[in-house]
Amino acid sequence: MGRYIAKRIGMSVVTLFVLICLTFAMMHAIPGGPFTSDRNVTEAVQQALNEKYHLNDPVIVQFGNYIKDLLHGDLGMSYQYQGKSVNDFIVDGFPVSGKLGLVTTIFVLLASIPMGIVAALKNGRWQDMLVMVIATLGVTIPSFVIATMLMYLFSYKLGWLPTFGISSWKSFILPMVAMGGYSLAFLARLMRSSLLEVMGQDYIRTARSKGISEFKTITRHALRNALIPVITVLGPTIANLVTGSFVIESIFAMPGLGVHYVTSINNRDYSTIMGVTIFYATFLIAIVFIVDLFYCLIDPRIRYE
Amino acid sequence: MKKQLRTLAALAMAFTVAVTGTVTAKAAAPAAPEKQSITFALHSIADSIDPSITAETYASPILTNVFEGLVSYDADNNIIPGNAESWELSEDGTVYTFHLREGLKWSDGSDLTAKDYVYGWMRVITPEVGSLFADQMLPYIVNAQEYYDDNAAAEDVGIKALDDLTLEVTLINPTPFFLGLVATYTFSPVQQATVEANGDQWTLSAEAYVSNGPFYVTEINFNESYVMKKNPYYWNAENVVLEELKFVFIPESTTALNAFEGGEIQGFWEVPSDSLPVLRVESDELVTVNAFGTTFHIMNNTVEPFDNPLVRKAFNLAIDREQLIYNVLGTDDIPAFALVSPGYVVDGVDVTEGRSSYEMSPNADPEAAQAALAEAGYPNGEGFPKVTYYYSTNDTYKKTVEALVEMLETNLNIEIEMKTADWAVMYADIQAGNYQIAQYGWGGDYLHPMTFLPLFVTDAVNNYSHYSNPTYDELVAAIMVETDDAKAAEMIRQAEDSLMADYPMLPLFHRSYSYMMSRNTAGYFRTPLNNLYFRDAYVVE
């Protein structure tokens, strides 16, 4: 197990490095720079700006300096926001995105798994139909449409929940439902089909024939196996939810990290592009790794060497 | 004196109310102090709220209300005394002497003197500071460019504090619009102590962000909100009624509209364009003001086929500006046939009044357009190369360009391809001259046509059309230093005539700004330069 973990960490570092190189190269390949705008500046001013932000150095030198700072945990200063460091963005934005992502994850899990189980056990009956209709809607309706409808109903018409911001716990309810819609639907469907498949296995028939109660058969034998595919996709799903959605954060005006993914690219804010990409990648790698370790706990047949 | 004037104004207003009854009693009475709070939503956070550095539109509502320069604007677009009580201009028009009010203070209670102005202005022309608006000072002030280029010492620059209350500014040439420049936030004072203590972080925390305007920042929540309170040290604090001013950031305009209608915010700008037609009919809270800005699309005058003035003329005659404005965009903009936006007034007459329409009309003139195209050598569009219309990815630009392409293709019988990219890519291409015809426009920085005219001067930094006309260049150079406003106005008309004879671009409309403000607020105003003043605003009962 120890060797396995060491190997995985080594691989993660290599993956990250390749990603950093690719992002850095692509970012400098796209036209425009941090100070490109409809209003041009004179040559002297452009020179002064390049000087201040070290954009006059050859790209390879810039890359070297970046890696050096990165090893010290310094993601650099934003080219766009005066005086702000990328570390600040993450410290400011991640708690908001993280909180939203966490409540959404809990909401998704609490809703989707029972929904999937009910649908599988009541296969073909109205409960199944209902879950499948909800699941289909959740997958097909884009989150921004759900968000707009929810906001219209609960904020504008009924006035129960705030329209924007993060002023109270109530502010998180609508974004949570809107953002969780897709994952909820997807996981419910996955849970349903996975459980249906397991329920048809020989060992379930064996368990039943031994006279074990239906409840025990499902919880002890069926669910444990049926959960494996769900846990597999849970890693990326959690990472996605927790690192923030640009669309949802933007609709509900939440000052999370999601907005930086998109605006930093538009602004050619090089250090922010790098910083959030590295942060997101590290997070994703870590989550997938944790999920892999979780397999052992769920399924004793899986062993890592 | 000032007080007396205010009393007089109040009396006059009372009289108006008594006679006409048009102003409701509600609008006259401010509510109790504890209710004096306004929350206004902005679309996005600015790159910086350092007045010496930023050049961004989103910074202006913040800076306009927390800083005050030597001069400011009133609701009728007149330049009024701000921190300076009075000023004199030397006989030759090159030396301004500003007299500061006595007892000016920063929001932390410390004294504000002419030296703070010198410090703030010198920051703008110090290359290491990285000001994005240095071009607002460099061409005008003596030795500013030389100092920027490290060829002159600080004491040689024409910005001097003669004593604590006197600031002397020496200009290279008479610059008739210089006071307009001084009214921009770039010319704000900056407190040396806080910059030296906090470096470039001084704008990031409320404690360090020392300012001198009607309000001061008490809370900064990055990407979320700026909370401001009335500044007790502001020289005119006794006339500031609003106790709290809050700016929140809502990127989606439909969310802002929902929040506005639910009463969570009292105002916002960037009204969703889809809602404009309905709001215009149904809402008494939609405010529209004329802007000092013109949307014109640029044509690359150095590449085929736009190197031919007749082709450019044909394009100008073939589009229906009225249809674009009213049917496609649903705005209140004014069809444009030239560059300079209306709004600059000399002796009571707008300088653009009576200006020629250069054979254009609000509607398309397909026959005249075809005639021009034929004269250019493309009868009925035959042999006309396929051209590419470039715009940056945005719904409004897309709608605009699609409508224009449709009009041009139908009326000129030619083929046009559309191309879109994100704005950084597009501007990089435009600046490199890699385009034929592209979306563009200009919002004025100060209320004088000189904010527009250099856009078409040979080799000017923002002359993306690469237009060149020696007569025009000479006229613009002369306007720049003409101190007689009436003469300058005449030359401005000549310059535009000379420019539009060549149709170097595609003027579309002179802009207006729409925004929403609660009917329970009064006294706020937004100038044609897009500055929103809450100095005199208040919540009514």
Side-chain angles (χ1 to χ4, degrees):
Chain A
M1 194 70 177
R3 257 187 68 193
Y4 171 76
I5 292 175
K7 205 169 112 191
R8 278 292 294 264
I9 291 175
M11 270 164 63
S12 302
V13 172
V14 174
T15 312
L16 256 184
F17 184 74
V18 171
L19 187 98
I20 291 169
C21 295
L22 279 177
T23 313
F24 200 89
M26 285 196 294
M27 174 177 91
H28 280 277
I30 44 174
F35 306 109
T36 306
S37 86
D38 55 343
R39 182 191 295 276
N40 210 348
V41 292
T42 54
E43 193 60 31
V45 174
Q46 185 65 55
Q47 274 307 318
L49 291 171
N50 287 345
E51 199 68 36
K52 179 177 175 187
Y53 291 95
H54 306 289
L55 287 167
N56 279 339
D57 299 342
V59 175
I60 192 76
V61 175
Q62 292 183 41
F63 183 68
N65 289 336
Y66 186 79
I67 295 291
K68 212 161 70 191
D69 291 342
L70 186 63
L71 291 176
H72 293 96
D74 178 6
L75 294 169
M77 298 300 287
S78 163
Y79 288 90
Q80 171 77 7
Y81 298 100
Q82 193 62 34
K84 270 281 185 189
S85 71
V86 181
N87 296 53
D88 287 343
F89 288 149
I90 292 170
V91 170
D92 288 347
F94 186 63
V96 176
S97 296
K99 199 162 145 194
L100 175 61
L102 218 62
V103 290
T104 309
T105 307
I106 294 169
F107 161 70
V108 165
L109 286 179
L110 288 184
S112 67
I113 292 178
M115 271 168 72
I117 294 172
V118 168
L121 297 181
K122 305 280 179 188
N123 188 15
R125 283 191 259 164
W126 69 266
Q127 294 94 330
D128 185 23
M129 299 292 186
L130 183 69
V131 169
M132 291 317 285
V133 166
I134 295 174
T136 311
L137 287 179
V139 173
T140 47
I141 305 179
S143 61
F144 65 88
V145 177
I146 301 180
T148 315
M149 290 189 321
L150 289 174
M151 187 191 286
Y152 181 77
L153 188 63
F154 291 100
S155 306
Y156 178 65
K157 280 280 162 194
L158 300 170
W160 292 350
L161 297 167
T163 314
F164 72 98
I166 48 166
S167 47
S168 78
W169 61 271
K170 284 184 188 167
S171 311
F172 285 87
I173 297 177
L174 296 183
M176 173 187 87
V177 177
M179 188 157 98
Y182 180 86
S183 308
L184 185 148
F186 181 73
L187 285 181
R189 290 176 72 107
L190 189 68
M191 186 67 224
R192 174 183 175 272
S193 57
S194 167
L195 187 58
L196 275 179
E197 199 198 314
V198 171
M199 293 298 279
Q201 298 287 326
D202 290 346
Y203 60 83
I204 298 295
R205 202 176 318 134
T206 313
R208 280 182 174 148
S209 66
K210 285 202 303 195
I212 301 177
S213 74
E214 187 65 13
F215 180 76
K216 251 188 175 170
T217 312
I218 291 165
T219 49
R220 274 270 177 84
H221 302 280
L223 268 188
R224 260 181 108 153
N225 285 308
L227 272 174
I228 292 175
V230 175
I231 288 170
T232 311
V233 296
L234 210 53
T237 304
I238 293 174
N240 246 322
L241 294 176
V242 170
T243 44
S245 147
F246 169 69
V247 176
I248 295 298
E249 286 179 6
S250 156
I251 290 179
F252 292 100
M254 306 183 88
L257 197 55
V259 64
H260 294 297
Y261 292 143
V262 178
T263 51
S264 67
I265 296 172
N266 283 338
N267 292 330
R268 304 289 185 273
D269 189 349
Y270 293 144
S271 46
T272 310
I273 299 176
M274 291 303 294
V276 289
T277 308
I278 292 170
F279 179 76
Y280 183 74
T282 313
F283 197 83
L284 196 78
I285 291 171
I287 291 264
V288 171
F289 184 35
I290 292 170
V291 166
D292 284 353
L293 293 180
F294 252 94
Y295 282 149
C296 309
L297 298 177
I298 299 283
D299 187 349
R301 288 170 301 180
I302 300 173
R303 286 271 178 271
Y304 296 118
E305 282 314 318
Chain B
M1 184 63 199
K2 188 98 193 171
K3 269 237 170 101
Q4 272 175 352
L5 274 178
R6 274 179 189 271
T7 322
L8 270 177
L11 274 174
M13 183 141 164
F15 182 70
T16 320
V17 175
V19 172
T20 62
T22 47
V23 183
T24 55
K26 195 177 126 187
E34 62 272 16
K35 289 186 186 157
Q36 291 300 334
S37 168
I38 291 179
T39 302
F40 192 90
L42 299 171
H43 176 261
S44 165
I45 194 164
D47 55 356
S48 170
I49 49 168
D50 185 330
S52 318
I53 292 180
T54 183
E56 230 180 57
T57 317
Y58 300 125
S60 104
I62 317 286
L63 294 172
T64 303
N65 293 295
V66 298
F67 278 93
E68 183 174 278
L70 297 166
V71 295
S72 181
Y73 281 101
D74 68 8
D76 301 319
N77 307 322
N78 301 307
I79 287 189
I80 55 166
N83 269 196
E85 201 167 30
S86 62
W87 54 88
E88 293 115 37
L89 180 59
S90 68
E91 197 77 356
D92 67 349
T94 58
V95 183
Y96 271 98
T97 312
F98 293 96
H99 303 285
L100 270 62
R101 294 174 194 278
E102 270 180 57
L104 287 174
K105 287 197 188 309
W106 287 104
S107 57
D108 64 356
S110 61
D111 291 337
L112 189 161
T113 70
K115 292 191 190 74
D116 295 303
Y117 274 94
V118 176
Y119 181 72
W121 293 22
M122 289 303 285
R123 281 184 88 225
V124 178
I125 57 167
T126 301
E128 291 75 29
V129 173
S131 174
L132 293 157
F133 241 161
D135 293 328
Q136 297 278 82
M137 272 186 205
L138 296 177
Y140 310 113
I141 299 175
V142 161
N143 280 330
Q145 184 70 55
E146 287 73 9
Y147 176 74
Y148 196 85
D149 297 337
D150 207 12
N151 292 327
E155 52 272 22
D156 299 331
V157 177
I159 307 169
K160 289 196 165 60
L162 300 185
D163 56 52
D164 280 357
L165 295 178
T166 319
L167 184 78
E168 187 190 81
V169 185
T170 313
L171 305 174
I172 303 168
N173 291 303
T175 311
F177 48 89
F178 188 68
L179 277 185
L181 282 168
V182 173
T184 62
Y185 56 70
T186 311
F187 289 72
S188 298
V190 170
Q191 197 196 50
Q192 187 166 3
T194 187
V195 175
E196 282 178 357
N198 302 290
D200 60 4
Q201 313 269 312
W202 79 278
T203 57
L204 299 181
S205 73
E207 298 72 45
Y209 194 54
V210 179
S211 66
N212 73 327
F215 303 94
Y216 74 108
V217 174
T218 55
E219 217 181 291
I220 294 179
N221 304 301
F222 189 74
N223 242 342
E224 190 190 347
S225 64
Y226 285 107
V227 183
M228 300 165 190
K229 290 260 173 351
K230 174 179 165 176
N231 177 4
Y233 296 108
Y234 178 56
W235 66 269
N236 198 15
E238 57 180 308
N239 288 312
V240 176
V241 180
L242 203 61
E243 293 289 331
E244 188 188 61
L245 175 62
K246 208 169 153 185
F247 286 102
V248 294
F249 300 101
I250 304 183
E252 296 293 326
S253 46
T254 37
T255 307
L257 185 58
N258 278 334
F260 179 80
E261 298 196 326
E264 289 173 79
I265 56 174
Q266 283 71 54
F268 70 102
W269 62 23
E270 312 223 1
V271 182
S273 60
D274 300 341
S275 311
L276 262 182
V278 178
L279 290 171
R280 189 164 294 132
V281 178
E282 291 179 357
S283 176
D284 60 342
E285 297 178 306
L286 177 73
V287 191
T288 303
V289 287
N290 287 329
F292 199 54
T294 304
T295 291
F296 55 91
H297 287 186
I298 43 177
M299 299 188 267
N300 191 338
N301 286 209
T302 57
V303 301
E304 238 193 314
F306 295 110
D307 53 352
N308 186 341
L310 286 164
V311 169
R312 305 196 295 255
K313 180 179 175 183
F315 269 57
N316 265 295
L317 298 182
I319 55 171
D320 191 323
R321 292 168 171 83
E322 213 166 67
Q323 200 187 330
L324 174 74
I325 297 166
Y326 304 123
N327 299 346
V328 179
L329 299 173
T331 57
D332 269 341
D333 302 329
I334 306 161
F337 311 119
L339 175 65
V340 175
S341 167
Y344 175 66
V345 178
V346 176
D347 298 331
V349 182
D350 194 298
V351 75
T352 63
E353 213 170 285
R355 179 170 59 180
S356 165
S357 67
Y358 310 103
E359 298 176 49
M360 290 174 251
S361 70
N363 303 104
D365 185 349
E367 278 166 34
Q370 276 288 0
L373 198 65
E375 205 184 327
Y378 309 103
N380 195 26
E382 277 164 38
F384 193 81
K386 192 175 184 176
V387 294
T388 306
Y389 214 127
Y390 205 167
Y391 65 96
S392 67
T393 314
N394 164 302
D395 285 343
T396 307
Y397 299 151
K398 184 168 182 249
K399 270 202 292 197
T400 310
V401 171
E402 277 173 350
L404 290 173
V405 165
E406 165 77 30
M407 293 170 194
L408 291 165
E409 288 191 329
T410 312
N411 293 338
L412 295 176
N413 195 25
I414 56 171
E415 235 185 302
I416 300 176
E417 195 177 57
M418 281 178 274
K419 179 181 170 185
T420 181
D422 81 52
W423 56 262
V425 174
M426 188 187 88
Y427 285 119
D429 273 339
I430 287 178
Q431 281 160 13
N434 293 330
Y435 80 99
Q436 288 179 300
I437 177 165
Q439 148 247 327
Y440 197 65
W442 193 261
D445 298 316
Y446 48 88
L447 210 51
H448 189 286
M450 273 309 290
T451 194
F452 291 100
L453 297 174
L455 296 171
F456 289 89
V457 166
T458 307
D459 294 332
V461 281
N462 284 302
N463 181 356
Y464 300 144
S465 303
H466 304 290
Y467 173 73
S468 177
N469 172 353
T471 318
Y472 179 77
D473 294 353
E474 274 168 35
L475 278 164
V476 175
I479 296 162
M480 196 164 156
V481 297
E482 180 53 65
T483 47
D484 183 333
D485 290 344
K487 266 194 212 161
E490 188 46 45
M491 286 195 286
I492 289 162
R493 290 188 199 105
Q494 286 172 15
E496 281 220 287
D497 287 344
S498 150
L499 177 74
M500 289 315 296
D502 293 330
Y503 300 95
M505 49 27 198
L506 200 61
L508 298 177
F509 49 83
H510 301 302
R511 297 171 182 172
S512 62
Y513 294 127
S514 291
Y515 63 113
M516 301 288 287
M517 272 309 275
S518 158
R519 63 179 73 86
N520 296 325
T521 54
Y524 56 86
F525 61 92
R526 187 173 177 183
T527 68
L529 303 172
N530 203 13
N531 293 319
L532 182 59
Y533 287 88
F534 283 103
R535 186 177 58 208
D536 304 325
Y538 57 92
V539 177
V540 297
E541 288 210 15

